[in-house]
Amino acid sequence: MNDTLTLDVIGRRVEVNGEHATVRFSGVVPPVTGLWLGVEWDNPARGRHDGSHEGTVYFKCRHPTGGSFIRPNKVNFGVDFLTAIKKRYVLGDGPEDGKEQIVTIGNKPVETIGFDSIIRQQSQLSNLQEISLRNCTVNCAGDKGGIAKTCPNIRKADLSKNLLSSWDEVIAIADQLKYLEVLNLSENLLKFPTGSSSLTRAFSTLKVLVLNRTGITWAEVLQCASGWPVLEELYLESNNISISERPADVLQTVKLLDVSCNRLIDENQLFLIAYLPRLEQLILSDTGISSVHFPDAGIGCKTSMFPSLQYLVVNDNQISQWSFINELDKLQSLHTLSCIRNPLTEGGKEAQTTRQFIIARIGQLKTLNKCEILPEERRGAELDYRKSFGKEWKRAGGHQSPDKNRPSEDFLAAHPRYQLLCLKYGAPEDGELKTQQPFLLKNQLLTLKIKYPNQLDQKIIEKQLPDSMTIHKVKGLLSRLLKVPVSELLLSYESPKMPGREIELENDQQSLQFYSVENGDCLLVRWLTAN
């Protein structure tokens, strides 16, 4: 870059030794002669000052050490889209590309050099459908119509961490890619339109848009969204966004919205996006959210908010109360939840117990923290939950007799599904509600019958086993008793509380307690060599 720069460089994105910055000043900085650029670094630790020098303010920075003065010849202003794509995707000339060839034009033979190479390169770019130009210093579209002519078939484009400085430059690129479906613009600090902008058809086919760490505001999202008529996935991570208004006639096709790492978002702001009709996946990780309440739905009812929401991620937040989990049961369509690294899930309770309680509190959940909830796990979780809070239920007015079963409003608010679980499995019996002393082995022993359905000559026996004993260890015990290899044993059990139903003990790493095996239940033992 020469020393004849003008004011049109202000706002341009630049790269210096691998670090990105924005030009905030161009001019002389006395007493040193010559032209200087004042830049504000993306990484403020890279800078030295706030844009001032010897008492004079030349430009302003958001951070007191975010600025530097740099000579223009040290700065890389980047390249246009086509230059970057040719550098990345055009293969070098082969050994035969330099050979002379004779072609006839009219009646005259003409010598050509590298003719095949040009044709091959054009074909190579024209066939591109997916490109990645991440960190390739792309700053603009280049010559008008050049992209559409050279590589018109691109459908997926990664332009993250480049030197694009404005949304207009993005439009200039996208307007030439009529098949574009996926666009990643993360880590480009873009200037977005502030006033009403004319509707563009540049994004008429766009389905996935990634705007992580671009500096976009919620108002700017809504301003631009009218140009995204078929958008299905929108990623807005780490933009310091505050959801300030309800989308009106925009974002109506969005199925996935990621607003992770935007720490200004709270419960009330979520209500502004609660009626996006097609929103199926909402990612709220690391937003600091701690509570949620759907005021339109009472205990045991479903909310009209988030009608299509199936998949919710609330990892790395401040969720510490079970009321948050209770509220999620009000969502009509929710079946997948991820909520790791929250005070509620990282507290003193064992992880398995916490998982069981979450499953029991959200009736329609099918996947929790990326692990599928099998029917038997749900049954075990709901039975354990029912037992764990049985004494509290009884003290609050719960009773085995339906006529006398009137738990308090406070209990029902804290355990909205408890009554439903009593209907499903029966009210807990007094014998189940005896206080357990977890550190005494005798209080953890289960008295179980063991019988062999396929070996009628084997006598039914009775054994006392710890409820913490894994299925693998139970098989080991039976293997020694029956002289049958562990690998051939198949275990299940039946309970007097559910006559006629047999539950398989299929996971060797889980405990008897996990499967809700109780005193008086019967283990059923089969093995592969049995008739």
Side-chain angles (χ1 to χ4, degrees), residues 400-430:
Q400 285 87 354
S401 170
D403 296 336
K404 299 178 181 179
N405 183 27
R406 296 183 182 87
S408 68
E409 289 185 8
D410 286 347
F411 179 85
L412 293 177
H415 305 279
R417 294 196 72 236
Y418 198 88
Q419 291 286 78
L420 182 63
L421 297 181
C422 287
L423 289 173
K424 185 175 181 179
Y425 299 108
E429 301 293 334
D430 290 342

Side-chain angles (χ1 to χ4, degrees), residues 89-150:
Y89 288 99
V90 172
L91 296 176
D93 292 343
E96 297 182 0
D97 289 339
K99 288 187 176 180
E100 294 184 358
Q101 297 181 21
I102 306 297
V103 296
T104 301
I105 299 177
N107 294 321
K108 296 182 179 180
V110 177
E111 293 183 357
T112 66
I113 299 177
F115 193 74
D116 283 349
S117 175
I118 294 171
I119 295 174
R120 187 167 63 251
Q121 289 179 8
Q122 289 175 341
S123 174
Q124 198 175 314
L125 294 175
S126 178
N127 291 331
L128 283 175
Q129 294 190 20
E130 297 185 25
I131 64 160
S132 175
L133 296 179
R134 177 175 171 80
N135 206 17
C136 289
T137 70
V138 176
N139 65 6
C140 65
D143 294 339
K144 188 175 181 178
I147 297 173
K149 181 180 179 181
T150 306

Side-chain angles (χ1 to χ4, degrees), residues 218 222 243-248 250-252 254 257 259 265-282 284 292-296 303-310 312 330-333:
W218 184 251
L222 300 187
I243 300 174
S244 52
E245 57 183 300
R246 181 176 293 184
V250 293
L251 304 182
Q252 302 300 296
V254 168
L257 179 61
V259 290
I265 291 177
D266 61 25
E267 170 188 358
N268 293 324
Q269 293 177 37
L270 295 182
F271 296 153
L272 296 174
I273 57 172
Y275 294 100
L276 290 175
R278 299 186 185 179
L279 185 62
E280 297 176 357
Q281 301 184 54
L282 180 59
L284 296 170
V292 67
H293 175 61
F294 302 112
D296 64 326
T303 178
S304 61
M305 299 183 185
F306 297 102
S308 301
L309 190 64
Q310 302 174 22
L312 178 63
K330 295 180 180 180
L331 294 168
Q332 301 174 33
S333 307

